[in-house]
Structure formats: C-alpha cells, structure tokens
C-alpha cells in the first residue's frame, strides 16, 4: 500500500490534496508513514467544506442568469422559465410576492397576470409605477405546480437569491405581499391580520405587510385594509426620506 492508498483509506487523501492546492505557500507534504495517532484517528475528521453560496459575488444580471439555469430544487423540472425579478436596480421600493403563477412562468416576469394588474393599480395609488424606482420579486423564482404553497425546502433553496437581490438593490422600504411571503420572511406563524399595521425589519430594511393582490381579487372587501397598508408604506417612506435629509 503506497502513501496515497493509506491516506485514501483514512479518508484524508483528497482533503490533503485540496487544502494543499488552495494554500499560497505549499504545505509540508504529509509524512510518508503517518504516525499511529493519524493512522487511527482519535481527533474529529476534517470538517466538510461549506458549499459556496449560489449567489455570492453575483450582480443582478448574473443573478438573473443564475435563476434561469438554476436546478437547486425540483421546481426546475416543472417550470417553464425562472422568474428572477424586474425593475429599477436602484429602486427605493421593493415589492415581494410569493411565487410566479402561470402567466409569470410563461413570460419570465413577476406579477404580469390578473394579480399583477391589481398590483400595478395598488402601486399607482401611492404614486408608483412598475420599473420606476420600484423592483418586484418573489420568494420563489420558479412556479410551484398548480400554484400550491411553497415547500420549506424550496424556500431554503431559493431564498439566497432574494437575499442577494435585497443586498444589491438596498431598497429603503420593502412591501411584502400576502400571508405566505410575510410569514416566510418574518419566520412567524402570526396571522397576516396581526402582521399588517406595523413596520417590521428584514435584513435591516423596514418592511410593511399587506394582502396579496390575488387574495384581494377574491376578497375585495379587504381592499380598504390594503389601502391602509399602502398609506402606512407611503408614510414610512416619507419619514425615512425626511430622516435621511435632516
Ligand atoms: N403571485 C405572486 O406571488 N407572484 C407573482 O409573480 C404572481 C402572482
């Protein structure tokens, strides 16, 4: 048995090789005949390398391309297109929904169906327009079949994309749309009726919760509450800007 075979048998060979290759200064070669303490290790085995984040170092364009080719969860097999997000890369406003629906899956842009039309109208109510100082994204970048709720493992696989978007855009305010998106970001099971009406924080950014436009299409009586939320969002933004100016 040569040195490489012995190291392989101990589960050390590729690790030695990778660590040595990564070092600027060449590491001392492992001894030809490892001491018995190494041959029969009592110490913990070397920690596995942390898998690199799928998004570290990506700008928004590269992130969009990464979403298009992403295979981090099984939704990649059923989606038509990845839906990274759309809008002004320097937007002060970030709207976050849950996941693409059928129209978004076909076109690759968030909120382009009926719910999107209502979202456009909600934004117009507070003087906003898609693409102008506004960015729109979802928690999941791929459509769950039949528009079912996102699964925790899908959220875990996809959330790094949204986190990177937030870190790159640095919006002044987030408006989160709907119970599932709000509860996911706030890691809470508090009902949306209790989450709305407050200014939360997400990744250091103030965040206001409101109803999902698709819910409002089915429950138009709650549009009045959504309007209150938008007014809160507008007031919060005004406060942030006047605070920043003073
Ligand atoms: N619903 C969402 O949450 N996001 C979309 O992009 C469309 C519908």
């Amino acid at each position: 048995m040569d040195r490489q075979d012995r190291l392989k048998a101990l589960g050390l060979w590729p690790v030695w090789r990778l660590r040595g290759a990564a070092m600027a200064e060449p590491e001392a070669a492992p001894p030809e005949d490892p001491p018995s303490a190494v041959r029969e290790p009592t110490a913990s085995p070397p920690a596995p390398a942390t898998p690199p984040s799928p998004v570290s170092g990506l700008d928004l364009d590269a992130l969009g391309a990464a979403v298009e080719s992403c295979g981090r969860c099984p939704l990649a097999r059923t989606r038509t297109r990845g839906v990274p997000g759309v809008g002004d890369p320097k937007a002060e406003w970030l709207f976050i929904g849950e996941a693409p629906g059928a129209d978004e899956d076909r076109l690759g842009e968030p909120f382009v169906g009926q719910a999107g039309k209502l979202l456009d109208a909600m934004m117009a109510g507070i003087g906003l327009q898609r693409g102008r100082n506004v960015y729109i994204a979802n928690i999941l970048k791929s459509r769950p079949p039949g528009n079912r709720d996102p699964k925790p493992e899908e959220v875990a696989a996809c959330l790094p994309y949204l986190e990177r978007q937030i870190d790159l855009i640095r919006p002044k305010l987030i408006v989160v749309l709907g119970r599932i998106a709000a509860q996911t970001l706030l890691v809470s099971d508090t009902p949306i009726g209790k989450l709305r009406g407050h200014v939360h924080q997400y990744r250091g950014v103030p965040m206001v919760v409101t109803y999902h436009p698709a819910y409002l299409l089915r429950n138009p009586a709650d549009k009045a509450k959504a309007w209150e939320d938008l007014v809160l969002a507008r007031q919060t933004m005004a406060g942030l800007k006047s605070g920043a100016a003073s």
Side-chain angles (χ1 to χ4, degrees):
M1 193 187 261
D2 70 5
R3 182 176 63 108
Q4 185 171 325
D5 288 332
R6 282 198 304 275
L7 292 172
K8 268 189 194 151
L10 293 166
L12 290 175
W13 165 248
V15 177
W16 276 113
R17 208 177 41 165
L18 287 176
R19 282 185 61 213
M23 307 274 291
E25 292 288 323
E27 198 176 356
E32 281 295 307
D33 190 9
S36 57
V38 174
R39 217 180 288 130
E40 292 170 13
T42 50
S44 323
T50 308
S53 160
V55 297
S56 55
L58 297 187
D59 63 16
L60 277 182
D61 287 343
L63 185 145
V67 165
E68 284 288 351
S69 61
C70 182
R72 282 170 56 82
C73 81
L75 295 180
R77 293 201 289 272
T78 50
R79 70 166 180 233
T80 309
R81 297 193 51 181
V83 183
V86 71
D88 179 350
K90 300 245 179 297
E92 293 176 322
W93 293 82
L94 174 62
F95 287 77
I96 301 178
E98 177 183 324
D103 295 313
E104 293 77 20
D105 178 65
R106 191 166 43 84
L107 297 171
E109 181 171 331
F111 284 100
V112 288
Q114 286 308 308
K117 287 202 176 76
L118 180 53
L119 177 60
D120 287 344
M122 291 164 71
M123 291 192 304
I126 50 171
L128 298 176
Q129 196 178 328
R130 183 181 287 251
R132 287 197 174 183
N133 201 20
V134 171
Y135 200 93
I136 305 173
N138 283 305
I139 291 180
L140 290 194
K141 311 305 190 195
S142 300
R143 181 189 184 211
N147 298 346
R148 62 157 170 73
D149 290 352
K151 294 183 181 172
E153 59 272 26
E154 294 161 356
V155 171
C158 219
L159 204 53
Y161 289 118
L162 180 66
E163 292 171 347
R164 178 76 182 157
Q165 287 173 313
I166 293 171
D167 293 349
L168 286 167
I169 297 167
R170 295 311 306 159
K172 280 194 181 344
L173 183 69
I174 294 171
V175 179
V176 62
L177 302 163
R179 174 181 66 85
I180 290 185
Q183 291 181 338
T184 300
L185 296 184
L186 292 169
V187 195
S188 164
D189 55 9
T190 303
I192 187 166
K194 292 212 165 73
L195 292 176
R196 55 176 292 277
H198 304 276
V199 180
H200 306 268
Q201 296 282 321
Y202 183 71
R203 290 183 90 72
V205 182
M207 182 168 86
V208 168
V209 173
T210 192
Y211 292 102
H212 195 286
Y215 167 86
L216 292 172
L217 290 172
R218 297 191 304 272
N219 300 273
D222 276 339
K223 283 186 180 175
K225 289 187 198 157
W227 174 242
E228 289 171 14
D229 301 332
L230 292 170
V231 170
L232 172 63
R234 187 174 57 184
Q235 283 168 350
T236 304
M237 178 64 89
L240 290 166
K241 287 187 161 191
S242 67
S246 62

